[in-house]
Amino acid sequence: MSFVIKTAKTIRNNWKKSTFLAVAVAWGGSYSKNYFDIQSLMRAYCERAAWYGQQTIPVTVNSRHITVILNPNANKRKAQTEFEKYCAPLLHLAGINVEIVKTNSEGHARSLMENLNGAEAIVVAGGDGTLSEVVTGLLRRTNENTNALVPIGVLPLGKNNTVSRSLFPGETKLEKVKSLADATMAVIEEISKQIDVMKIEIMNDEDKKPVYAISDIKWGAYRDAEVKKDNYWVFGSLRKYATYIFNGFKSSLSWNCQAHLLYSPPCSGCSNCYKIQDIQPKSKWFQGYIKEDQDTLKYKQINNPHCNQMVEKDIATSDFTLLTSNVVPKKIKDVSKLNIFIGPEKVEYFDFIRQGWKTERGENREFKESIEARTLEIHPQIRLEKESWFSIDSEEYEVKPVKITLLPNLLKMYCKKDTL
């Protein structure tokens, strides 16, 4: 009993040191547990990948070869370290020949893809921006020719991972490591599914090449506040909440997004949808003799009069969001479509904070109206003296009149079995 009393007096007389020691022990215990959990997890994944590497292949068949487009600057320069630690070992154990190409500037991944030939598969090691550049470069080079497209894998190594997070979710450190391992194993096991692509063209500018995106387009006050979150780095992990507090009253945000919309309804496939494929030039002389696949022939025989109907609508909102079905869970047998969400015209300060925090917690904001479409034209009606920006797959583009066309099931992307 005397020992307990003596210990209590010592702690009371040295409470600062005791508090520090308790916090250090608790942190050390948590760190050690997390470290051993990660090591155990990676050991299991390595054994699984090694099994594929031990399988024999015929001498007449070459081993798989993939090209990794790595953005070393992604996620505050952590992407390369995490790739080498959690992804590269699995690829090598599986016996895959890996060619790593590093990007060194914005737009580099797009130019690489426009000139890259001979890859069996492309794996994007980065975030939404790198993925968008790779997809844009690939589709520009192949002219959207499905016969020339290769499967794409994505490793969630960026700051923004909208598409990869829907395929390989993970929030905690252990879950993030698991999502990286799952994404790598999807490439190894060649599990894939078809995804939709948005083709974005600047209207009245034929010299400008199209941009392709696979997740979202954002415009408005919430978008502007979201891109400013890194300015509040002093708040650490709370900066994503602080940005709405400090920007909720600023006039520099796009509070008044006025535009004229022209859109067509969703279509599951008809002769009108495939007209664009008829006028595309054949990339090879012999492709003119290749018989069309059954799906194309089936859709060419379907006549959907509503597919050509265009609906006009004027909007004035503080929040415009367009999502593909890649990031909005589709119902069984649901058609591919553009999901357009229009927020209220005006929003109060505290409502802006509340809705912004809901977004950061992974919840949906409250919208006034939603529209489903296959094609969409956005004709902004904004003051020329004020800058305004779209976010297209987390990349900034100046607000201009654009035409957005949905290309359903165009790309093949590696995924987990339970997301098929």
Side-chain angles (χ1 to χ4, degrees), residues 142-157:
T142 59
N143 196 27
E144 303 171 20
N145 181 4
T146 55
N147 295 321
L149 297 177
V150 297
I152 292 180
V154 56
L155 307 177
L157 289 165

Side-chain angles (χ1 to χ4, degrees), residues 217-280:
I217 298 176
K218 299 177 182 178
W219 180 28
Y222 293 95
R223 175 263 164 208
D224 293 347
E226 184 179 341
V227 300
K228 295 176 182 290
K229 66 175 65 173
D230 285 341
N231 296 341
Y232 304 96
W233 56 268
V234 68
F235 293 96
S237 61
L238 298 177
R239 65 183 181 277
K240 60 184 180 181
Y241 300 110
T243 186
Y244 298 99
I245 295 175
F246 293 105
N247 287 287
F249 52 84
K250 290 187 176 180
S251 60
S252 59
L253 271 61
S254 303
W255 295 102
N256 187 16
C257 302
Q258 297 185 24
H260 179 72
L261 303 184
L262 190 65
Y263 64 92
S264 63
C267 180
S268 58
C270 68
S271 56
N272 179 69
C273 297
Y274 280 80
K275 283 180 181 178
I276 188 172
Q277 296 188 13
D278 293 337
I279 62 176
Q280 284 181 353

Side-chain angles (χ1 to χ4, degrees), residues 69-280:
I69 306 297
L70 171 62
N71 181 2
N73 296 319
N75 196 19
K76 300 180 180 178
R77 301 182 183 274
K78 296 178 183 177
Q80 182 171 344
T81 301
E82 293 183 344
F83 171 77
E84 294 174 348
K85 192 173 183 179
Y86 303 119
C87 304
L90 300 179
L91 295 172
H92 293 308
L93 284 169
I96 298 176
N97 292 326
V98 181
E99 179 186 2
I100 301 175
V101 182
K102 297 180 183 179
T103 62
N104 53 35
S105 62
E106 184 178 348
H108 189 202
R110 182 167 54 247
S111 62
L112 284 172
M113 292 305 303
E114 289 180 356
N115 299 285
L116 184 66
N117 291 300
E120 295 179 18
I122 304 295
V123 177
V124 180
D128 288 342
T130 309
L131 178 60
S132 179
E133 287 187 15
V134 167
V135 171
T136 296
L138 176 64
L139 292 177
R140 284 180 181 177
R141 178 172 61 83
T142 59
N143 196 27
E144 303 171 20
N145 181 4
T146 55
N147 295 321
L149 297 177
V150 297
I152 292 180
V154 56
L155 307 177
L157 289 165
K159 181 176 66 175
N160 297 305
N161 303 288
T162 308
V163 174
S164 55
R165 188 169 58 244
S166 66
L167 297 172
F168 312 101
E171 295 296 333
T172 66
K173 175 66 175 178
L174 182 62
E175 289 174 345
K176 287 181 179 178
V177 172
K178 187 177 185 303
S179 69
L180 287 172
D182 283 336
T184 308
M185 290 305 302
V187 175
I188 294 171
E189 297 174 339
E190 298 186 85
I191 303 170
S192 63
K193 69 176 181 179
Q194 301 295 132
I195 65 166
D196 304 332
V197 178
M198 290 187 290
K199 181 179 181 180
I200 302 131
E201 301 169 281
I202 298 178
M203 303 186 68
N204 305 320
D205 191 349
E206 296 180 356
D207 296 330
K208 198 74 173 178
K209 293 182 178 180
V211 173
Y212 296 87
I214 57 178
S215 60
D216 56 48
I217 298 176
K218 299 177 182 178
W219 180 28
Y222 293 95
R223 175 263 164 208
D224 293 347
E226 184 179 341
V227 300
K228 295 176 182 290
K229 66 175 65 173
D230 285 341
N231 296 341
Y232 304 96
W233 56 268
V234 68
F235 293 96
S237 61
L238 298 177
R239 65 183 181 277
K240 60 184 180 181
Y241 300 110
T243 186
Y244 298 99
I245 295 175
F246 293 105
N247 287 287
F249 52 84
K250 290 187 176 180
S251 60
S252 59
L253 271 61
S254 303
W255 295 102
N256 187 16
C257 302
Q258 297 185 24
H260 179 72
L261 303 184
L262 190 65
Y263 64 92
S264 63
C267 180
S268 58
C270 68
S271 56
N272 179 69
C273 297
Y274 280 80
K275 283 180 181 178
I276 188 172
Q277 296 188 13
D278 293 337
I279 62 176
Q280 284 181 353

